[in-house]
Structure formats: C-alpha cells, structure tokens
Amino acid sequence: MHQPKGISRSLSAIGIMAALVGGACSSKSEVTKGGVGTSASLTDLMKARNLSEADVNAALKTYTPTGRMDEYLTFASGGHGGQVIVIGVPSMRILKYIAVFTPEPWQGYGFDDQTKAVLAGGKRFGKDLTWADTHHPALSEQGGDYDGKFLFIGDKANARIAVIDLSDFETKQIVTSELIGGDHGAAFVTPNTDYIVETTQYPVPFGSVYADPAKEFKDKFRGAAIFWRFDRTKGRIDPEASFAVEFPPYTQDLADAGKLTSDGYAFFNSINTELTWGGNQEGNPPMESGYSKNDMDYLHVVNWRKAEELVKAGKAETINGMKVIRLATAAAEGVLTFVPESKSPHGVDVTPDGEDIVVSGKLDTHGTVFSFAKIKAQIDAKKFETKDPYGVPVLSFKDSIRGQVELGLGPLHTQFDDKGNAYTSLFLETVVAKWSVKDLKVIDKMPTHYNIGHLVAAEGDTIHPDGKYLIAMNKWALDRFNKVGPLLPQNFQLADITQTKMQLLYDMPIPLGEPHYAQMIKVDKLKPIDVYTPGEDPMTGKRSVNAVEPNKERVERRPDGVHVYMTAIRSHFTPDIVRVKQGDTVHWHIDNLEQAYDATHGFAINSYNINISIEPGEHSDITFVADKAGVFPLYCTEFCSALHLEMAGYFLVEPKI
Ligand code: CUA
C-alpha cells in the first residue's frame, strides 16, 4: 500500500517501538550510551527520560537526523532585534538570523559601504535608527502563492519596510516615508506583489508636524495606508511609483490584501473610532478604556486599483515626498468604504478563496466572517447606511456578514489549511481554535503555553495552504524552560494539524526580541545561490568596478585618498601589510577569491570598528578616515582553515609630523 510521506502518516509509538524492539534492533540492543545509562532499549530510554508514548510520537515527527533537511522554512520576525529568524520545520532548528534594520556583526552588516547604505535608507528626519520593532514578514507572491523570491518586513516603531532578496538571504533595501509616525499593518503584499502595504498604527499629523491632540486631534491627526510599488525586475521598491490613501485618525490595525475574487481590494481594521488620544492626567480616561467605548469600529475597505487610477489621473497631492489620495477624494471616488466591525478587533484575514474576510474580535468572543460579495454588491449599488464624520460611506453590518463563529476569549489572528479549516489564536484563553470556515463551527482547541499572539500554518495565508504544520507564537513562557532571570524567551510551539485533533509536537524558545509574526514556505520554492560570481557586489548583483583580481592587489594613492585593493583566500590576505598616513581617507576594496561553498572569510581591523564578512566570490568596500596613528592588527574572523590564525596582517598608520 502506498504510504504517504511525512507526518500525514499516523504514527503509533507502540507500533514503532514493537518494530524497533522486536525487529530491526534486537530486543536489548544498545540504542545509546551515556546520560541515560549504558545499555538502553527504547522502553528503557522512555523510562529513564520519563517519556510517554505521546512524547515519543511527537519526537518521531520532529527529530531530523544529521544531514537531513527540513520540509519548510519559517521566516519569523526578530522583534526588537530588528532581524528575521529563519527556522527549519519540523526540526525547529534555527538556520539564520537575517540582519535587517540593525547592525549585525556576524554578517558584517552595517560595517561596509554596501550595508551602511542600506541602513541609511531607513533614516528618518536625518536620524540614524539602531533598533526596530519588526512585525510582519511577507513573502513575495505570484498569483496569490508564495514564489520564494523576496521577503518584506515592517518596522512598527519607525514606519519602515525592508526588502530581503531570497537569492542570498540579504537585505537589499530599506524605505521609509516621513508621512506617517509608525505602522502595524505592514508588510502585506498584493497577490502578484505589485504593492507592499504599510498602514499606520498611531496617527500623527502628516510629517509629524507639531499639533496638540487636546485641540486638534480630529482635524490634524491622520492615518494612511501606503502602497509601496515593488519593481520585481530590479528587486527593489520604487518610492516614486508608490502612493498613500489618507485615513481618519481611527488607529488602523492589521491589514490583508484581497485575492482571487477580492483581488484589487485591501482590508484594514481600526480600533479607535472614539478618537481618543490619551490625557489620563488631563481629565480623560486612560487610552485603553477610551478606545473601547463604542460597540463598533470600522473595517476599512480600500479599492487599490481605483486608487492607482486616481494617482495616474493626477488626483493625488504630494506630502512629505509621498503621493497621497486625500480623504475627501478617497471617500467621493469610491476608494475608501467602511463596514462596522465588533469593537477594537485585531486580525483581519482573507480566506484562501478570497471570498470571506475573517475579523477577530479581541474584546468579543466571536470571529466575524464578512462576505466580500455582499460588501461589493452594496458598494456597486451605492447602498450606504450612513457616513462617518469625515464623509466616508458606511455599509450595513448585517448586510455585509456571512456569519459569526463563537470562538472563545480574545480571538486575534487566523490562518488556514488545505481542508477548509481556519485556525484562530485566542490570547486570553491561550489556545488555538480550529474551526470550519463553511460551517462556522469550532472543531478542536489546543492549549498553548502561554498567551498566544500570532500563529502561522504552512503557506497558511496563501490561496493554496498546505495544512501539515502550525506554529503558535506565544508571548509568555513561564514554566516551559529552565529559569534565566526575569526576562524570559518567547515560546514557539509546533503542532501537527494533519488530523482532526491538533497535536502539540515541540517547544522552541526564541531568545531574541519579540518575534511577532512568521510565514512558512515549502523549501522547494527557494533557490538560493551557493556563492557569488567572482567580484560581485551583493547590493547590485553585478561585478564591482573595484573588484580585485588575483595578482592585481595593490595600494594606490589618489586625490580622494588611499585605495587598497586586497584579496582574501585560504589562508592569507594580499597585501598583508597596508601603510597609510594619519588623516588619509582609506577606500578598502576587498574580494574573497574563493568559489568553494561555505569558504567565508572575515576581515577585521583592531580599534577601527571594522568587521565584515566576505562570502565566496563577494566584493566589499569599506571607507574610513585613518585618524588614529599606530599599529593595528588585521585578521580573518572566520575559522576558515587550519591556518586561520595565520590569516592576518598589519594596518600601519604613520603619524603626522
Ligand atoms: Cu580566512 Cu579564517
């Protein structure tokens, strides 16, 4: 009989034990030696390590022997670390931290000219930012499915979007708009990655210009959704071709793009139609109660194709360098429509068929399932129930929904599988609720440990979810790991979702920032390179004009300073002595001549804060002023060979007389 591969096969621990104990291994074979005893059968091992049959079953579904690869990669936000964490599934092995918004020494990110320029793209108002609150990673899509080419991620704190090229897993671009004061609904892609969506969280007056909320909140503070145009051939965002749609200051929250039948639309939650702005020492209620007074907030429905046409027709105004469709225009031209939604919702997630939009109540025990067809019919017929104070048309709640599902306490985010089921995280109840999208009925609940925020299923927000695996991204870990002081890691919990009942498989601590959201992609969609072509500048993808060839290494004095053309190959730098004069501007060009996979060299100069990583074939540039005279060792920081310690030299700065 054909046995499906992978975890869909129902594993019986007893069956496997019987096979192991009575079959291939003789009944008292030595499975291991060491910590649990010198001679142990599987049953002895289980006893010694206090493992149940369910534990062994879970272990067999995640254990990945040496040399074996994972079936999926998960790209998780690295939270305040400003990075992206790459995790193999089902092994839950961390494979990489991708440096994004913050300098990262291992990758030499933020030390050479190339990556300094990327980080400089994220300056706001001329200020360097050395942290981020990375939130939602978004894989590039083609026809609503991940294509494995690019990854985008938003920085909530500073309203920035980064572009990571998955050919080498490196950050290539950071963009920001000085229009808005932060984002939360970011990054989300439209189904063909025409646009990357970034939505305001906390409203500010556009450009962060001074205004007192006590007097001017309603009139001057604003939200916006920015549609960053992505140029796939260049692999970069094109700010010139991007635009924004102005929103009222309702504190927009999460976002999702329509797909298939709802393609061309995007959906945004909001949590503050009350227009409160704080002031708990100025006679106002605290923010959290001010935000929750109204029974309903507004789901924002944006027709982005229509918005694109308006921009082309010149109906946008340029504010702080961004083309903005003003609120009055958006309302009058059918770009922006509101649908009432249960108060202070959190997640908004479009179903794989694009027909429904699931909004989680957060303060409500329901998930509300809006029907795109019903929303569209009302918009087309201009059948509006009322207008909001800013003149935006409002549809009828009851004419817009397909139904509600009673989920439990604190519903947040929803993912989907390949069998028509949805999985919603319930923060307060600290469970994952599995429910039928068709029947709006809960099928199963799986406890999480503890306080789940986001969750991610395999390709679970595409038009073809895979099912199989789900990761609960839990905010609290409490009693799950050894104690490490008052600041605890987060807890990622892997679950098998192939059966009716979800099965918890594995706990993985994440001790880096607060990983917010993740996406999980089948590995066969990813085609990363092994090495760069000789002389390649990873930022341009082309051979650098300063690429250094073997036997052409040299030091040249020119009007703009001293140019060092250096090569690195096991196990020496050429030249290994570099002489300059105090005060010289130094332009250091360095190439790793290796073409062997994994033959990375590092390059560091003592006291000058110079530390880069040069992958095989890579060209890198470093520019600095040799302001401190003296003798400074330089050396390779990667253990590249048996003679790695000998891969060294001196940077000599002759004092000014
Ligand atoms: Cu090259 Cu160590």
Side-chain angles (χ1 to χ4, degrees):
M1 196 188 88
H2 174 72
Q3 282 276 32
K5 269 169 75 179
I7 61 162
S8 52
R9 174 168 28 186
S10 169
L11 291 170
S12 150
I14 295 174
I16 283 156
M17 277 159 47
L20 280 176
V21 173
C25 306
S26 65
S27 62
K28 283 288 169 193
S29 69
E30 293 191 6
V31 175
T32 187
K33 292 191 177 189
V36 293
T38 51
S39 169
S41 68
L42 193 53
T43 34
D44 292 339
L45 263 174
M46 287 171 66
K47 213 167 148 194
R49 295 207 64 221
N50 191 23
L51 300 176
S52 67
E53 282 173 27
D55 295 334
V56 173
N57 182 288
L60 291 175
K61 289 179 179 180
T62 58
Y63 177 66
T64 308
T66 185
R68 298 264 185 95
M69 306 292 157
D70 280 301
E71 192 181 353
Y72 289 89
L73 288 193
T74 292
F75 292 90
S77 116
H80 323 121
Q83 301 167 356
V84 166
I85 311 167
V86 186
I87 303 161
V89 173
S91 74
M92 301 305 274
R93 298 180 292 198
I94 292 180
L95 302 177
K96 195 166 206 171
Y97 296 103
I98 304 172
V100 184
F101 291 110
T102 45
E104 201 288 312
W106 170 55
Q107 293 155 75
Y109 185 79
F111 293 85
D112 62 355
D113 295 353
Q114 282 82 357
T115 54
K116 274 183 181 169
V118 173
L119 283 171
K123 282 188 181 195
R124 282 176 67 86
F125 304 110
K127 285 188 191 303
D128 281 319
L129 299 162
T130 55
W131 81 289
D133 190 5
T134 53
H135 263 246
H136 306 96
L139 287 154
S140 56
E141 295 180 10
Q142 198 62 275
D145 277 315
Y146 301 153
D147 61 15
K149 303 283 191 221
F150 297 95
L151 180 75
F152 312 97
I153 189 157
D155 165 17
K156 166 170 161 159
N158 305 301
R160 299 185 291 174
I161 300 284
V163 179
I164 297 158
D165 190 331
L166 294 177
S167 71
D168 63 356
F169 283 53
E170 294 222 355
T171 303
K172 305 292 178 173
Q173 185 187 26
I174 297 173
V175 296
T176 186
S177 159
E178 290 168 359
L179 188 73
I180 61 176
D183 62 47
H184 189 244
F188 293 88
V189 300
T190 54
N192 288 314
T193 323
D194 296 317
Y195 291 99
I196 300 139
V197 185
E198 181 192 25
T199 324
T200 310
Q201 180 119 81
Y202 308 113
V204 294
F206 282 157
S208 297
V209 294
Y210 180 78
D212 188 338
K215 299 186 193 98
E216 300 172 297
F217 190 81
K218 181 171 181 276
D219 295 331
K220 295 219 168 142
F221 285 60
R222 288 293 181 268
I226 298 175
F227 291 80
W228 292 101
R229 177 81 199 181
F230 186 62
D231 182 336
R232 190 180 273 275
T233 51
K234 291 198 177 114
R236 299 290 187 276
I237 285 170
D238 179 0
E240 297 297 311
S242 305
F243 64 88
V245 178
E246 180 180 5
F247 288 161
Y250 291 159
T251 308
Q252 285 74 30
D253 200 41
L254 274 163
D256 201 5
K259 51 188 96 164
L260 299 173
T261 166
S262 52
D263 187 8
Y265 287 78
F267 309 94
F268 308 84
N269 279 334
S270 68
I271 58 175
N272 184 28
T273 49
E274 295 85 350
L275 297 178
T276 53
W277 47 270
N280 58 7
Q281 289 200 320
E282 298 175 26
N284 292 328
M287 283 256 211
E288 75 267 29
S289 56
Y291 268 46
S292 314
K293 269 199 331 235
N294 293 350
D295 283 337
M296 303 298 252
D297 286 302
Y298 291 133
L299 174 68
H300 297 30
V301 179
V302 169
N303 182 341
W304 61 260
R305 284 240 166 77
K306 179 83 188 169
E308 198 179 37
E309 284 168 24
L310 292 184
V311 174
K312 282 192 186 128
K315 293 192 179 177
E317 197 177 306
T318 300
I319 305 173
N320 281 59
M322 178 61 66
K323 293 186 201 84
V324 182
I325 298 176
R326 301 308 302 257
L327 193 42
T329 311
E333 301 270 2
V335 167
L336 179 62
T337 309
F338 289 155
V339 187
E341 57 184 359
S342 299
K343 70 165 142 191
S344 300
H346 196 51
V348 51
D349 298 284
V350 178
T351 52
D353 58 13
E355 287 180 12
D356 295 325
I357 303 124
V358 180
V359 172
S360 293
K362 190 170 83 185
L363 300 178
D364 181 359
T365 55
H366 292 98
T368 303
V369 180
F370 291 88
S371 156
F372 177 72
K374 290 183 173 185
I375 289 171
K376 177 97 177 4
Q378 292 173 81
I379 293 173
D380 288 348
K382 295 195 163 31
K383 190 171 166 260
F384 307 127
E385 204 169 63
T386 180
K387 283 185 175 178
D388 89 323
Y390 294 89
V392 181
V394 181
L395 305 183
S396 146
F397 172 73
K398 77 170 176 22
D399 291 347
S400 302
I401 67 168
R402 179 162 72 78
Q404 290 188 300
V405 50
E406 178 74 47
L407 290 169
L409 298 175
L412 295 183
H413 304 284
T414 301
Q415 294 267 303
F416 303 92
D417 72 6
D418 54 336
K419 301 183 186 74
N421 300 308
Y423 299 80
T424 300
S425 53
L426 305 185
F427 179 83
L428 296 174
E429 207 173 313
T430 190
V431 301
V432 174
K434 172 180 176 177
W435 53 282
S436 158
V437 175
K438 183 165 160 275
D439 307 332
L440 304 180
K441 291 244 159 49
V442 171
I443 296 162
D444 184 35
K445 282 188 178 179
M446 181 186 77
T448 64
H449 310 89
Y450 299 88
N451 299 352
I452 179 173
H454 271 278
L455 74 180
V456 57
E459 312 215 346
D461 57 6
T462 69
I463 66 168
H464 294 113
D466 281 4
K468 291 198 171 185
Y469 299 108
L470 178 141
I471 298 172
M473 305 173 71
N474 305 311
K475 304 301 178 189
W476 289 37
L478 286 176
D479 54 6
R480 294 296 106 168
F481 306 112
N482 295 80
K483 293 190 175 193
V484 289
L487 179 62
L488 276 66
Q490 319 280 311
N491 186 12
F492 277 16
Q493 289 187 301
L494 178 71
D496 171 357
I497 55 168
T498 56
Q499 311 299 317
T500 306
K501 276 193 81 61
M502 294 172 275
Q503 181 195 1
L504 181 62
L505 299 179
Y506 192 79
D507 279 26
M508 178 205 201
I510 298 276
L512 183 83
E514 192 221 65
H516 193 82
Y517 178 50
Q519 288 190 332
M520 199 191 299
I521 183 174
K522 195 89 186 282
V523 289
D524 60 15
K525 291 186 177 175
L526 297 161
K527 304 268 184 291
I529 57 166
D530 291 346
V531 298
Y532 292 106
T533 52
E536 182 174 342
D537 176 339
M539 291 309 143
T540 61
K542 297 194 179 83
R543 185 176 168 80
S544 167
V545 291
N546 291 312
V548 191
E549 282 171 39
N551 304 317
K552 292 194 180 157
E553 298 91 346
R554 64 203 184 274
V555 179
E556 273 180 22
R557 183 166 289 276
R558 291 202 219 143
D560 67 342
V562 176
H563 287 254
V564 180
Y565 294 87
M566 176 184 258
T567 59
I569 193 162
R570 279 165 286 175
S571 300
H572 53 269
F573 293 109
T574 310
D576 57 4
I577 299 287
V578 172
R579 292 183 167 86
V580 304
K581 292 190 166 55
Q582 186 177 16
D584 279 342
T585 297
V586 182
H587 306 269
W588 209 295
H589 314 294
I590 181 164
D591 280 65
N592 180 344
L593 297 181
E594 311 268 1
Q595 282 289 290
Y597 190 29
D598 209 5
T600 292
H601 295 290
F603 174 72
I605 303 180
N606 161 278
S607 301
Y608 268 95
N609 198 38
I610 288 168
N611 159 56
I612 62 169
S613 173
I614 343 159
E615 277 75 77
E618 182 176 359
H619 170 86
S620 195
D621 301 295
I622 313 158
T623 308
F624 64 100
V625 176
D627 47 5
K628 168 85 178 97
V631 174
F632 305 96
L634 56 87
Y635 73 102
C636 171
T637 54
E638 283 279 331
F639 212 123
C640 54
S641 70
L643 298 175
H644 148 77
L645 290 183
E646 288 83 346
M647 194 166 175
Y650 287 105
F651 176 50
L652 302 172
V653 183
E654 190 185 325
K656 257 189 197 151
I657 309 159

